Amino acid sequence: MKPGQFHYWVFDMDGTLTLPCHDYALIRRTLDIPDSADILHHLAALPAAEARHKHQWLLDYERSLALAARPAPGARRLVQHLRTRGCQLGLLTRNARELALITLQVLGLDGCFADGLAILGRDEAPPKPDPGGLLQLARHWQTEPDQLVMVGDYRNDLECARRAGACSILVNRPASDWPELTDVYQPDCQALLRQLESE
């Protein structure tokens, strides 16, 4: 499968476009979330007042990370290359949309994701691995899900792509992670850009 044949590209944010910075152990410890539980699903199941309080702590914590975001190797050049080629670019994150916008600005990539309707956070789409966000983007772009690429660094991204029928690209992880869900593997965005330039 050649990534260069695709026109519609969707990126995960944290750990894909940025260097990893979340301290999930701290989040779980502070918000009293079991190790085995999905953080967002756990918060969604809490009583409203408790959920609101814990979501606010998470939002404040993640805002500090967004303001200090640093690009992953090759991420800026890859996104800029795709934009220059005229590709449609989207962002699908389990983070809050308002923080995704801050992160893109800090990374200098806000101009590449000019279509605000193609930036989906946890309040605009069901959290990955639910495929709803990718299906929403396919409808927005008036194309079929199998015309989309999902680039991510974690199982949730790959499973989301597989369930939507999109192409999954794994970066910033070992090749041995989730091969059954990975259509294309590159060690980082820099290597993925080199692949695109050579196709």
Side-chain angles (χ1 to χ4, degrees):
M1 183 173 295
K2 293 186 175 182
Q5 72 191 39
F6 289 93
H7 181 71
Y8 302 95
W9 287 71
V10 183
F11 288 88
D12 169 57
M13 187 175 67
D14 301 308
T16 299
L17 293 180
T18 73
L19 293 174
C21 55
H22 280 68
D23 185 339
Y24 291 107
L26 171 67
I27 294 172
R28 292 177 183 281
R29 189 166 60 248
T30 303
L31 301 183
D32 194 25
I33 299 174
D35 290 345
S36 59
D38 179 276
I39 291 171
L40 295 182
H41 291 160
H42 179 87
L43 294 181
L46 294 175
E50 183 181 358
R52 193 162 47 250
H53 172 73
K54 291 187 174 183
H55 268 294
Q56 187 59 53
W57 182 91
L58 184 61
L59 195 65
D60 292 342
Y61 170 72
E62 291 182 321
R63 181 175 287 106
S64 69
L65 300 182
L67 291 168
R70 295 168 55 206
R76 272 200 293 239
R77 287 188 58 229
L78 172 62
V79 170
Q80 290 163 348
H81 171 81
L82 292 169
R83 186 66 175 169
T84 300
R85 280 180 42 192
C87 293
Q88 293 288 333
L89 302 180
L91 191 72
L92 180 59
T93 176
R94 287 169 56 99
N95 208 317
R97 183 178 184 276
E98 66 180 278
L99 302 185
L101 294 173
I102 292 172
T103 301
L104 291 174
Q105 188 172 25
V106 169
L107 297 181
L109 291 175
D110 45 326
C112 294
F113 292 85
D115 180 358
L117 295 178
I119 299 174
L120 305 179
R122 57 182 172 238
D123 295 323
E124 290 71 41
K128 297 170 290 186
D130 189 295
L134 282 183
L135 298 176
Q136 186 175 328
L137 287 170
R139 288 192 298 272
H140 173 64
W141 286 325
Q142 298 183 341
T143 190
E144 295 301 316
D146 64 3
Q147 298 302 301
L148 272 59
V149 173
M150 176 78 221
V151 183
D153 72 312
Y154 194 61
R155 181 186 184 95
N156 285 338
D157 307 309
L158 306 176
E159 190 174 331
C160 174
R162 184 58 50 89
R163 290 168 63 182
C167 172
S168 62
I169 299 183
L170 177 64
V171 295
N172 303 337
R173 295 292 289 239
S176 56
D177 286 356
W178 317 295
E180 73 282 3
L181 296 172
T182 302
D183 293 317
V184 175
Y185 170 77
Q186 287 293 353
D188 54 31
C189 291
Q190 199 163 277
L192 179 55
L193 174 59
R194 285 196 297 269
Q195 179 181 354
L196 291 175
E197 290 175 334
S198 68
E199 287 181 359

